[in-house]
Amino acid sequence: WVPVDQQRPFAASLELVAAMAHVVPERPVTEPERMETEEDEEEKLEGDGEENNGNAKENSEKYTAWKSLIPFLYDWFTNHHMVWPSLSCRWGALVEQGTYKSKYKVFLSEQTDGSTPNSLLVGSIDVVKERVAAAAHISNFNEDHRSSFFRKGKRLVHPGEVNKIRECVSCPGVIATHSDVPEVYIWNTETQPSRLPAETRQSMPDLVLVGHRENAPFALSMSTRGYSVASGGQDHLVLTWNMKDYQTTLLSSTAKITEPTSAGRSSWNSGGLGNANLLAEVQGPKLDPQSRFEGHTADIEDVEFKPDSEVELASVGDDGNIFLWDSRAGSSPVLAVHGAHGAADVHCVDWSSGQTHMLATGSADNSVRVWDTRSLGGSKQQASALHTLTGHSGAITSLQWYPGSSSILASGASDALINIWDIHRVPQDSQDGTSALVFQHAGHRGEVTDFHWNSAEKWTILSASEESDTGGGTVQVWRVNDMVYTEEEKVLAELQTYRSQILGGADA
């Protein structure tokens, strides 16, 4: 293994990948045995009628070609069908380390049609370790079946649909959620009681962050250091809170959920409520914002704290602008890029944790742009992107840098693709990012709603999509074959080790 920024990724030929996939020592992995619950039976009944839906797209030439290449493109892959789509997916903490697999907590959502409540799901995923899974195992799956590597744990009945989930790195198990309301909900999933499948009674958030005057459905971030939360809304405001300001046992895994007293609550902000009836039913202690930033002139689509900072953050929105904020400098932006993607809306933003002056944005114009914040100048600066990455045919819906990298990032889009890029492959003094495309995941059959790199597993992604043909959703876990991104010389040297096996014992 070579550190990410020292690698020279290359598009390995299928011949090399295919040869390596069949000769590297492997231990076939069988799906874990599990006891079926009433919830499993319920999902089976709901899913039976959907088994033949979506066949047209499944049998499309592109999808069929991708599926045939799974053993060559991936070291590990599993597909999980959901009756309802998940608009957000996040890795949680490592739960158990085994010899051949590791178990991680995951956070998912269920966006229903209103016939059943929207849910926040806390479960686990078994991730098979590198070069362990048999090629035949990862390629044999049914798109309409649940993966037994996914296991449900708790189910929370969420007040409204779950548009976005973000986890607190400093306190695993604590997450924030956005819905179609002005408030942000904070949940300690370690102590929240689980709702049975038939229950419709709403779960009560541990803390409700108030301050937006209008709905804040999408822009949400939690700092990687400390306990800060940031949100952007349709009121054009960016707000931040620090959960430490609420003196409670919220951040303790032993906290108990109790009804708050009126003395422990801040007042509701009643201006511009988009769903007053729903909000009136949501109970929980309230917390007012610590900082308020103004500058956007349209809905804010995404916000992201700078790595290891609770005071610096970036936001993007439908005004097409990028704003950088610092709570120590007041409520106005410290840096700005106007019309970052021309006249197009900007949907997402992320900082590189490898070099924190690097920033990436994804837009409705189907492109990803990479920026060096050191060259942005003042608050009215017109700046040029370092790179424009083109390779999607739909609007960018999600974006994230590879953990610890200053060159590798991934983007998901409405074209059902997740692209992985390496900007170090772009020729010097060139803004054309076409050559930066390293890998394309074509396993989803509908719009990619979210994805998340696993920070502890190399080149491993959790991704989710909405299947328009079935009305359901798909969640996948996949690890890119290391021959796709490892230095070519190293791959050839390893193949030489297995030369006789590749040639079937023939005299070379």
Side-chain angles (χ1 to χ4, degrees):
W1 170 249
V2 182
V4 166
D5 290 335
Q6 297 177 25
Q7 295 167 3
R8 181 166 59 85
F10 74 107
S13 69
L14 285 180
E15 289 81 4
L16 289 177
V17 178
M20 194 64 184
H22 292 289
V23 300
V24 174
E26 59 185 26
R27 176 185 177 90
V29 176
T30 58
E31 295 204 357
E33 295 183 1
R34 58 193 300 274
M35 294 183 63
E36 293 193 347
T37 64
E38 292 181 3
E39 187 172 8
D40 296 329
E41 294 298 326
E42 176 185 309
E43 290 198 6
K44 284 183 180 178
L45 291 173
E46 290 176 337
D48 283 345
E50 302 173 357
E51 202 155 6
N52 295 319
N53 291 337
N55 286 338
K57 193 161 189 178
E58 176 186 339
N59 295 327
S60 69
E61 184 175 335
K62 183 176 181 180
Y63 182 80
T64 302
W66 167 82
K67 195 170 181 180
S68 69
L69 297 175
I70 288 176
F72 312 135
L73 299 175
Y74 303 92
D75 175 78
W76 167 244
F77 174 86
T78 189
N79 184 91
H80 180 70
H81 171 73
M82 297 182 66
V83 175
W84 305 110
S86 180
L87 298 187
S88 192
C89 61
R90 304 298 288 182
W91 291 104
L94 176 66
V95 176
E96 182 181 332
Q97 187 76 265
T99 303
Y100 300 109
K101 61 187 177 182
S102 302
K103 179 181 292 186
Y104 290 90
K105 181 178 290 186
V106 292
F107 306 106
L108 303 171
S109 66
E110 288 182 323
Q111 182 194 32
T112 72
D113 62 359
S115 59
T116 61
N118 294 281
S119 299
L120 177 62
L121 306 178
V122 184
S124 65
I125 298 177
D126 290 327
V127 179
V128 174
K129 295 191 174 181
E130 289 183 279
R131 299 194 175 184
V132 169
H137 176 72
I138 66 173
S139 60
N140 294 330
F141 67 92
N142 186 314
E143 287 82 357
D144 299 305
H145 289 178
R146 298 174 61 236
S147 168
S148 56
F149 289 95
F150 285 70
R151 301 183 184 182
K152 281 189 178 180
K154 290 184 178 181
R155 171 182 176 263
L156 308 184
V157 176
H158 196 271
E161 63 184 33
V162 185
N163 294 330
K164 187 166 284 189
I165 305 168
R166 287 298 179 261
E167 73 286 356
C168 180
V169 176
S170 300
C171 190
V174 172
I175 61 172
T177 60
H178 250 330
S179 188
D180 293 332
V181 294
E183 281 64 38
V184 178
Y185 302 130
I186 305 296
W187 311 85
N188 186 336
T189 62
E190 298 293 328
T191 58
Q192 279 280 342
S194 183
R195 297 285 192 255
L196 295 173
E199 282 192 86
T200 60
R201 181 168 50 95
Q202 284 184 0
S203 300
M204 186 180 74
D206 293 85
L207 184 62
V208 179
L209 308 182
V210 301
H212 280 295
R213 297 191 291 265
E214 296 183 34
N215 291 347
F218 299 113
L220 181 65
S221 178
M222 299 190 86
S223 59
T224 57
R225 173 190 292 180
Y227 305 95
S228 291
V229 181
S231 168
Q234 295 174 354
D235 55 6
H236 311 166
L237 296 176
V238 174
L239 306 178
T240 66
W241 302 259
N242 192 316
M243 292 186 293
K244 282 289 189 180
D245 291 343
Y246 178 65
Q247 299 300 318
T248 180
T249 52
L250 165 67
L251 304 177
S252 167
S253 62
T254 60
K256 300 298 182 183
I257 309 302
T258 57
E259 281 289 341
T261 62
S262 58
R265 303 177 180 177
S266 300
S267 61
W268 282 92
N269 187 329
S270 57
L273 297 183
N275 196 339
N277 292 333
L278 172 65
L279 289 175
E281 300 173 4
V282 177
Q283 300 296 317
K286 313 300 187 293
L287 182 66
D288 290 315
Q290 189 178 71
S291 300
R292 182 188 305 263
F293 303 106
E294 301 182 27
H296 281 285
T297 57
D299 296 0
I300 298 171
E301 295 287 348
D302 199 13
V303 62
E304 190 68 31
F305 279 105
K306 190 173 184 178
D308 295 326
S309 176
E310 291 189 90
V311 296
E312 297 176 85
L313 60 159
S315 62
V316 296
D318 291 347
D319 55 10
N321 300 331
I322 305 170
F323 287 127
L324 306 187
W325 315 91
D326 189 329
S327 62
R328 298 165 297 188
S331 61
S332 298
V334 294
L335 290 173
V337 179
H338 297 274
H341 287 254
D345 298 350
V346 186
H347 290 167
C348 40
V349 62
D350 193 41
W351 298 85
S352 163
S353 58
Q355 292 184 351
T356 56
H357 58 271
M358 301 290 286
L359 192 74
T361 55
S363 171
D365 68 0
N366 309 345
S367 74
V368 173
R369 291 189 174 179
V370 179
W371 312 83
D372 185 339
T373 60
R374 298 173 300 181
S375 65
L376 296 186
S379 61
K380 299 297 182 181
Q381 178 74 15
Q382 295 292 331
S384 297
L386 289 178
H387 306 289
T388 298
L389 310 179
T390 55
H392 285 289
S393 60
I396 310 301
T397 58
S398 46
L399 177 72
Q400 189 190 4
W401 291 82
Y402 185 91
S405 175
S406 61
S407 69
I408 296 173
L409 66 157
S411 56
S414 60
D415 60 6
L417 298 175
I418 296 177
N419 288 343
I420 299 180
W421 316 84
D422 183 359
I423 60 175
H424 283 176
R425 297 181 59 175
V426 180
Q428 193 171 5
D429 300 325
S430 172
Q431 290 188 340
D432 181 8
T434 307
S435 60
L437 184 60
V438 175
F439 187 87
Q440 190 170 79
H441 177 65
H444 288 288
R445 295 173 294 156
E447 176 177 328
V448 175
T449 55
D450 199 10
F451 74 87
H452 192 201
W453 290 100
N454 188 312
S455 60
E457 301 280 344
K458 291 178 291 186
W459 285 69
T460 302
I461 284 179
L462 169 69
S463 56
S465 64
E466 182 175 2
E467 312 301 348
S468 56
D469 293 337
T470 67
T474 296
V475 176
Q476 296 175 341
V477 177
W478 43 282
R479 180 190 297 117
V480 178
N481 189 319
D482 60 11
M483 290 185 27
V484 173
Y485 56 84
T486 303
E487 292 176 320
E488 185 173 356
E489 294 79 5
K490 291 180 180 290
V491 173
L492 294 174
E494 188 167 7
L495 286 172
Q496 184 66 30
T497 303
Y498 298 98
R499 180 184 178 89
S500 61
Q501 293 159 279
I502 295 171
L503 298 176
D507 185 4

